[in-house]
């Protein structure tokens, strides 16, 4: 067989291979574009979530985080990637892994009240859930943190209204009863004595009725 024949055969094989690759690209391009569109839609939904969402490797390194996490921590999103998660948490990552494993083994929901810290070291109370997401023979963890700031403020406001006088801001009778009950219970456990000091003020009712 001449070299010209060999060359023609090589050209034919190359042409057929090129047609096959072109056909394959044309066949799978639509599917690939569809998957990319789905990922973009999913990403947009996660970024719009009110919760802080992190994907973390088993060694505690952040693989991804949503826009809410970056905004609440006051950190550019790019700086969160490949950063240690416990830089922003009130507990070491290894401890969280141990707690997660213990709660999962006991069949209990893995939700904790934690504190995170912004880039300015401002504490933020959060409710955190943590779940393992095995993928490609490796363990990843999904952390979802819900900002509890408004809830804590509302609870504190309710407590203030219940136990402090609205006019003077001084402790009221309800708080006295609560603290006295706690003191008596503590004395019963420890075997110590508890005393109550009673002070009588002349014409106090007049002051109370007029000034609160």
């Amino acid at each position: 067989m001449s070299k010209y024949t060999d060359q023609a055969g090589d050209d034919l094989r190359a042409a057929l291979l090129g047609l096959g690759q072109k056909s394959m690209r044309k066949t799978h391009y639509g599917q690939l574009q569809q998957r990319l569109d789905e990922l973009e839609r999913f990403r947009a939904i996660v970024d719009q979530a009110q919760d802080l969402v992190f994907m973390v490797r088993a060694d505690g390194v952040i693989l991804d985080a949503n826009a809410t996490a970056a905004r609440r921590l006051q950190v550019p999103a790019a700086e969160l990637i490949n950063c240690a998660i416990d830089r922003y948490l009130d507990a070491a990552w290894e401890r969280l892994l141990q707690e997660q494993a213990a709660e999962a083994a006991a069949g209990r929901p893995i939700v904790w009240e934690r504190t995170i810290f912004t880039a300015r070291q401002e504490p933020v109370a959060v409710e955190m859930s943590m779940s393992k997401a095995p993928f490609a023979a490796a363990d990843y963890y999904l952390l979802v943190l819900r900002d509890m700031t408004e809830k804590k403020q509302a609870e504190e406001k309710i407590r203030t209204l219940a136990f402090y006088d609205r006019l003077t801001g001084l402790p009221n009778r309800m708080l006295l009863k609560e603290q006295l009950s706690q003191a008596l219970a503590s004395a019963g456990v420890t075997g110590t004595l508890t005393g109550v000091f009673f002070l009588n003020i002349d014409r106090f009712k007049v002051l109370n009725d007029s000034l609160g």
Side-chain angles (χ1 to χ4, degrees):
M1 186 178 293
S2 69
K3 63 178 181 178
Y4 300 106
T5 304
D6 292 341
Q7 182 63 43
D10 292 341
D11 292 344
L12 179 60
R13 283 192 292 271
L16 291 174
L17 182 60
L19 288 173
Q21 291 175 341
K22 184 177 181 181
S23 177
M24 184 178 296
R25 287 196 299 269
K26 187 175 181 180
T27 301
H28 293 285
Y29 177 78
Q31 297 177 358
L32 178 60
Q33 186 61 48
Q34 182 180 355
R35 290 297 181 89
L36 290 174
D37 291 342
E38 291 174 355
L39 288 174
E40 288 180 0
R41 285 196 297 270
F42 180 74
R43 179 74 196 200
I45 293 171
V46 173
D47 281 340
Q48 291 298 318
Q50 297 299 311
D51 296 338
L52 292 71
V53 181
F54 298 89
M55 179 63 73
V56 184
R57 286 196 327 228
D59 60 359
V61 173
I62 299 173
L63 289 178
D64 203 356
N66 68 344
T68 304
R71 184 168 57 252
R72 193 66 184 89
L73 294 177
Q74 303 170 10
V75 179
E79 292 186 14
L80 285 175
I81 309 305
N82 294 324
C83 178
I85 185 67
D86 52 9
R87 176 179 177 180
Y88 301 100
L89 294 176
D90 63 345
W93 176 247
E94 289 78 9
R95 178 183 169 187
L96 291 180
L97 286 180
Q98 293 172 359
E99 292 183 5
Q100 190 272 344
E103 296 294 312
R108 293 189 292 264
I110 305 169
V111 179
W112 307 293
E113 286 195 5
R114 293 286 186 185
T115 300
I116 60 173
F117 298 91
T118 68
R120 299 177 182 177
Q121 291 302 302
E122 298 168 343
V124 179
V126 297
E127 184 180 78
M128 184 178 79
S129 64
M130 177 177 176
S131 57
K132 183 188 290 188
F135 179 75
D139 288 338
Y140 297 93
Y141 293 85
L142 179 66
L143 273 63
V144 180
L145 287 67
R146 176 158 296 178
D147 191 340
M148 304 293 286
T149 301
E150 293 184 1
K151 181 181 178 181
K152 294 292 184 182
Q153 290 174 346
E155 290 175 350
E156 184 60 30
K157 184 176 182 179
I158 292 172
R159 176 177 172 79
T160 299
L161 292 174
F163 295 120
Y164 294 87
D165 185 83
R166 295 184 182 183
L167 181 61
T168 64
L170 297 174
N172 62 17
R173 188 176 301 176
M174 291 292 294
L175 183 59
L176 172 63
K177 289 182 178 180
E178 182 182 80
Q179 293 184 339
L180 182 58
S181 298
Q182 293 175 355
L184 292 174
S186 177
V189 172
T190 60
T192 57
L193 297 177
T194 297
V196 178
F197 182 74
F198 181 79
L199 179 64
N200 186 27
I201 301 177
D202 293 338
R203 296 189 300 277
F204 179 75
K205 186 177 185 306
V206 177
L207 293 174
N208 187 59
D209 291 343
S210 60
L211 301 178

